[in-house]
Amino acid sequence: MSSVKETKKWYFIFLALWTLIADIPFLFMFFTSIKTQTELLMGNTWQIPKDPTIGNYSTVIHGSFFYYLKNSLVAVSISVILILIVSSMAAYVFSRLKFALNNILYSLIIAGMAIPIHVTLIPIYILTNKIKLYDTIFALIGPYVALSLPMSIFILTEFMREIPLELEEAAKIDGCSMFRLYSDIILPLSRPALITVGIYNGTYLWNEFVFALVLTSSPEKRTLPLGIWDFQARYGSDIPAIMAFLTLSLLPMLIAYILGQDKIIKGMMAGAVKG
């Protein structure tokens, strides 16, 4: 009994240390954001602010932050929804339907994960110009969805293959159509994988920089990762303001996780007992 208590004690100590280590970058970012530029440059970088100020947050909020936030929310939300719809439909086909080109098409899609995104920049830039979408938020959605599909289809296909076929066979006997099989049986059971795909792509696209840089040019069409440029000058940068900008940029993802935490846990628990 004592050995179990000792093990639990060391377990909690390890978790506390790991939490502290994981939180250090966020604490550094927040403490730096409430310093002045002078205090940051003249004092110890890791020192807790002697005279905290919210002036950096005021500077960020009264700038173009909300334009960037709106653009990021629109681009990421639409992209993630399209990714989940398209990848789940494709995964259902590859995991459940047997046809001659199944393995070949699936392999070609998975091979897309090996293509570096930088190789596609020039063709996508030319195509975006030709279809008159350059310098719009919608110019980002196409590349975001297309380049996220291979990984998403792979995750969902492998998950759906583990769902027992008996569930679908019973539903077919009751006269369930193929779309009802997909929407009423496969999708609910695939919730853990859908959550994983949504979180993975949402986090990546929220921080995406290269396509936003290449496919937009006017300040009002920029997303959050490009907004940091507002605080960079030719010979220096306003580091506290940048940290304030990053802190505010983090909040939407943090709030979304907190609000959806129960659904994420329920989805994972459902996936653990799906068999």
Side-chain angles (χ1 to χ4, degrees):
M1 191 70 178
S2 60
S3 62
V4 174
K5 290 183 178 179
E6 189 72 16
T7 302
K8 286 185 177 180
K9 182 183 76 172
W10 286 107
Y11 177 73
F12 285 119
I13 291 174
F14 172 77
L15 287 180
L17 289 173
W18 184 257
T19 302
L20 178 62
I21 293 172
D23 287 342
I24 285 176
F26 301 103
L27 292 173
F28 173 78
M29 182 170 66
F30 173 71
F31 286 142
T32 304
S33 70
I34 56 177
K35 291 181 179 180
T36 62
Q37 181 83 327
T38 302
E39 182 180 357
L40 176 67
L41 297 177
M42 301 298 292
N44 189 332
T45 304
W46 294 94
Q47 185 178 4
I48 295 176
K50 295 179 179 178
D51 187 18
T53 176
I54 61 171
N56 297 311
Y57 289 93
S58 178
T59 300
V60 171
I61 290 173
H62 288 91
S64 302
F65 176 79
F66 288 107
Y67 285 105
Y68 305 143
L69 178 62
K70 180 196 70 174
N71 294 337
S72 287
L73 286 173
V74 170
V76 173
S77 299
I78 295 176
S79 297
V80 171
I81 290 171
L82 289 176
I83 289 167
L84 290 175
I85 293 173
V86 176
S87 61
S88 61
M89 287 183 173
Y92 177 69
V93 170
F94 289 128
S95 64
R96 285 301 196 252
L97 304 185
K98 305 300 179 184
F99 55 95
L101 299 178
N102 186 310
N103 291 331
I104 295 176
L105 291 176
Y106 181 62
S107 299
L108 288 174
I109 290 175
I110 299 307
M113 291 190 293
I115 300 175
I117 63 170
H118 303 88
V119 175
T120 66
L121 284 175
I122 295 177
I124 289 176
Y125 172 79
I126 295 173
L127 177 62
T128 303
N129 266 308
K130 285 186 176 180
I131 60 177
K132 310 299 182 184
L133 285 179
Y134 178 74
D135 199 27
T136 67
I137 294 301
F138 298 101
L140 302 176
I141 295 174
Y144 283 0
V145 173
L147 294 173
S148 300
L149 282 179
M151 176 64 76
S152 302
I153 291 174
F154 172 73
I155 293 173
L156 291 173
T157 299
E158 297 307 316
F159 189 91
M160 290 180 183
R161 282 175 175 171
E162 299 298 320
I163 298 175
L165 289 171
E166 290 79 7
L167 295 174
E168 289 185 76
E169 291 171 355
K172 287 179 181 178
I173 293 175
D174 293 335
C176 195
S177 65
M178 182 176 294
F179 183 77
R180 289 285 302 278
L181 288 173
Y182 160 77
S183 62
D184 294 353
I185 296 177
I186 298 299
L187 276 187
L189 291 174
S190 300
R191 186 184 300 173
L194 291 170
I195 291 172
T196 300
V197 169
I199 293 174
Y200 172 80
N201 288 301
T203 304
Y204 170 73
L205 296 179
W206 189 258
N207 298 295
E208 199 282 324
F209 179 83
V210 175
F211 281 107
L213 174 64
V214 173
L215 299 179
T216 60
S217 58
S218 56
E220 60 271 16
K221 297 299 189 297
R222 290 176 179 171
T223 55
L224 284 171
L226 296 180
I228 297 175
W229 274 356
D230 288 350
F231 308 100
Q232 292 181 335
R234 183 173 181 179
Y235 299 108
S237 301
D238 189 348
I239 302 299
I242 290 175
M243 291 300 177
F245 188 95
L246 292 175
T247 302
L248 292 175
S249 300
L250 175 68
L251 289 180
M253 298 296 288
L254 185 62
I255 293 171
Y257 177 79
I258 292 173
L259 294 177
Q261 187 177 13
D262 58 331
K263 293 182 176 59
I264 294 172
I265 293 174
K266 287 178 183 178
M268 291 179 177
M269 294 299 293
V273 298
K274 70 178 176 62

